[in-house]
Amino acid sequence: MKKLFLVVAMSSLAVVVADAAEQDTVNRCAAIISQFQQMPEKAIPRDVLRRAKGLAIMSVVKAGFIFSAKGGQGVVIARTPRGWSGPSFIATGGGGWGLQAGAQVTDFVMVLNNDAAVHAFSRGGNVTIGVDVSAAAGPVGRTAAGAVMPTAAIYTYSRSKGLFVGVSLEGAVIGTQRQSNFNYYGGPVRADSILTGLTKAPPGAAPLRRALGP
């Protein structure tokens, strides 16, 4: 029974993710960045963004009753000598069970603080947060100590709407979506080619790149 429910739940989430057009995902990620910057008390400090080597942005849906499933999609984007790269598409999914009920949508912004973190997302495979790269909750607010050097390869930020609590990305497996990259760029393209700027960003990526600033 548990396995049957989990299969059905994961299938439903997969359909939701698959139905999201690539441009819609990029637009949603641009909106997420803007929304985070409109929360003065919990905004990502400007110094953190200025030092960032890249960002991974995604929305994750978690739903269930006793058994649960989650799935989400987003993009990772990196800083290059010519400005921000185009977006490389990523996704996550998983399931679990226990005394839980409800539904939740959580927006995540992961600030990639060093080249190793960007490289982890450039390989075109899976990245396990907390295993392949260290992660910690990032400092927040305009008055955060911007002079403090990063303590982890990734700073994580999140905002949620729903009933689940204790949201964390620790242990989450995030994978490159090769088909979404193919669709968005109009042909086969590698994640490292996108994130190093060798592959030109499509015009549709302009709102996201503007939202990130210089």
Side-chain angles (χ1 to χ4, degrees):
M1 179 66 181
K2 180 175 74 175
K3 290 183 178 179
L4 177 60
F5 179 87
L6 192 56
V7 168
V8 172
M10 287 299 293
S11 297
S12 299
L13 286 172
V15 170
V16 171
V17 171
D19 284 346
E22 285 76 18
Q23 188 59 54
D24 289 341
T25 298
V26 173
N27 293 344
R28 185 170 65 250
C29 290
I32 289 171
I33 288 294
S34 297
Q35 289 162 5
F36 268 86
Q37 293 306 94
Q38 292 169 6
M39 300 186 296
E41 295 181 358
K42 295 185 178 181
I44 303 173
R46 292 177 182 175
D47 282 349
V48 170
L49 286 177
R50 277 197 290 262
R51 288 197 186 101
K53 300 293 186 178
L55 291 98
I57 311 155
M58 65 192 311
S59 289
V60 176
V61 180
K62 184 177 181 181
F65 179 72
I66 306 300
F67 310 115
S68 68
K70 65 181 179 181
Q73 190 174 32
V75 302
V76 60
I77 189 167
R79 197 186 297 276
T80 78
R82 296 173 297 281
W84 290 102
S85 72
S88 177
F89 290 84
I90 53 176
T92 187
W97 68 286
L99 296 177
Q100 53 191 345
Q104 183 182 61
V105 178
T106 303
D107 296 330
F108 288 97
V109 173
M110 291 161 274
V111 178
L112 312 184
N113 289 316
N114 55 38
D115 293 332
V118 174
H119 178 70
F121 284 94
S122 300
R123 296 176 302 191
N126 294 332
V127 178
T128 303
I129 305 300
V131 176
D132 295 320
V133 285
S134 62
V140 297
R142 293 175 180 172
T143 59
V148 177
M149 294 300 292
T151 58
I154 292 178
Y155 278 157
T156 62
Y157 297 85
S158 65
R159 60 190 298 270
S160 303
K161 295 180 180 180
L163 302 179
F164 280 112
V165 294
V167 178
S168 173
L169 270 178
E170 192 75 14
V173 178
I174 301 174
T176 298
Q177 298 298 287
R178 294 185 180 89
Q179 186 60 50
S180 293
N181 283 342
F182 182 101
N183 295 343
Y184 196 62
Y185 289 89
V189 59
R190 292 161 51 106
D192 59 353
S193 178
I194 296 171
L195 297 179
T196 56
L198 292 178
T199 297
K200 185 178 180 181
L208 174 59
R209 299 169 78 199
R210 282 197 301 269
L212 293 173

